[in-house]
Amino acid sequence: MFDLAIGRASAPRCVLLLGAHCDDIEIGCGATVLQMCARWPDTRFVWVTLSSEADRAAETRAAAACLMRGASDSVVYVESFRGSYLPHDGAAVKDYFESLKIHAPDVIFTHYRNDLHQDHRFVNELTWNTFRNQLVFEYEIPKFDGDLGVPNVFVPVTRAQLTRKTEILLECFPSQRARSWFAGDTFEALARLRGIECNASEGYAEAFYGRKIPLAI
């Protein structure tokens, strides 16, 4: 399969990672973050988790530090908006998104537009409402609702990167271990399916939705 590579001529100046809750970014694009930080060590990575309690904030900070270890410039924001109520705190969350413009990101990773969790959909809506000149990729999260779709952008990942992502999730989020779906085989199964869909060389990939991708010929 022919690859279109971001950063082939020059790396992005800033990548913005947006997640409604702790572990969203990690699940949705953790292996991709590992790969980006390794390939673009001088790029600034801005990690934003909008909803968290104190104990889970420590978990996501630990996970973000592990995933972005290869980056020389990274910042992590873990905010305390009320989980499952983000659309009802709309004005405050919208103001917060406006404040993120100061980072002037080139590339953004956010939630999938058709995600059935209301917080995830709201984050996607505000992403597109706030940022108009960025390359936006929407990540997917497996869940009980069964809202997985047909993505059109794939990042092949190595077996080692997928294993490291899974290790970080299981090590850094002890609060989630009792959940039946929060397991290594969940994350690896989805990556294997997406790897098949894009004919990934090692058989694994993370998948995204790219709705507006300018193509320079």
Side-chain angles (χ1 to χ4, degrees), residues 15-204:
V15 174
L16 175 61
L17 306 161
L18 296 169
H21 316 105
C22 295
D23 77 26
D24 283 347
I25 297 169
E26 297 89 331
I27 292 172
C29 55
T32 299
V33 172
L34 284 170
Q35 190 170 136
M36 289 189 298
C37 289
R39 291 188 177 180
W40 307 330
D42 296 325
T43 292
R44 186 165 208 247
F45 290 86
V46 179
W47 180 298
V48 177
T49 296
L50 291 165
S51 175
S52 176
E53 300 81 31
D55 58 337
R56 297 211 63 202
E59 292 179 338
T60 207
R61 287 186 183 280
C66 291
L67 290 170
M68 296 192 296
R69 187 161 292 160
S72 61
D73 183 8
S74 63
V75 60
V76 178
Y77 299 105
V78 183
E79 307 301 341
S80 56
F81 293 103
R82 189 179 179 188
S84 297
Y85 285 79
L86 292 189
H88 307 289
D89 292 332
V93 182
K94 169 61 177 171
D95 287 343
Y96 183 81
F97 265 72
E98 289 295 321
S99 75
L100 296 174
K101 288 181 176 178
I102 194 173
H103 297 289
D106 305 301
V107 180
I108 300 174
F109 287 82
T110 191
H111 286 281
Y112 172 40
R113 178 181 294 175
N114 296 326
D115 193 306
L116 292 180
H117 194 297
Q118 67 276 7
D119 287 357
H120 297 181
R121 290 196 308 275
F122 189 55
V123 170
N124 176 279
E125 178 183 337
L126 288 182
T127 301
W128 285 102
N129 178 257
T130 306
F131 298 99
R132 298 299 179 92
N133 294 307
Q134 284 75 19
L135 191 57
V136 177
F137 297 105
E138 303 171 6
Y139 58 79
E140 56 184 356
I141 297 179
K143 62 175 73 65
F144 172 81
D145 306 84
D147 55 11
L148 295 176
V150 183
N152 60 355
V153 177
F154 299 86
V155 177
V157 300
T158 66
R159 174 73 229 192
Q161 288 166 340
L162 178 60
T163 297
R164 183 59 185 142
K165 164 189 170 172
T166 302
E167 289 173 347
I168 290 169
L169 279 162
L170 298 181
E171 291 170 3
C172 292
F173 289 98
S175 67
Q176 303 303 294
R177 291 175 190 159
R179 298 180 182 273
S180 60
W181 61 269
F182 198 88
D185 55 6
T186 301
F187 311 129
E188 294 184 1
L190 183 56
R192 181 70 181 107
L193 288 173
R194 297 316 190 196
I196 292 171
E197 291 174 350
C198 70
N199 197 26
S201 60
E202 293 195 25
Y204 301 97

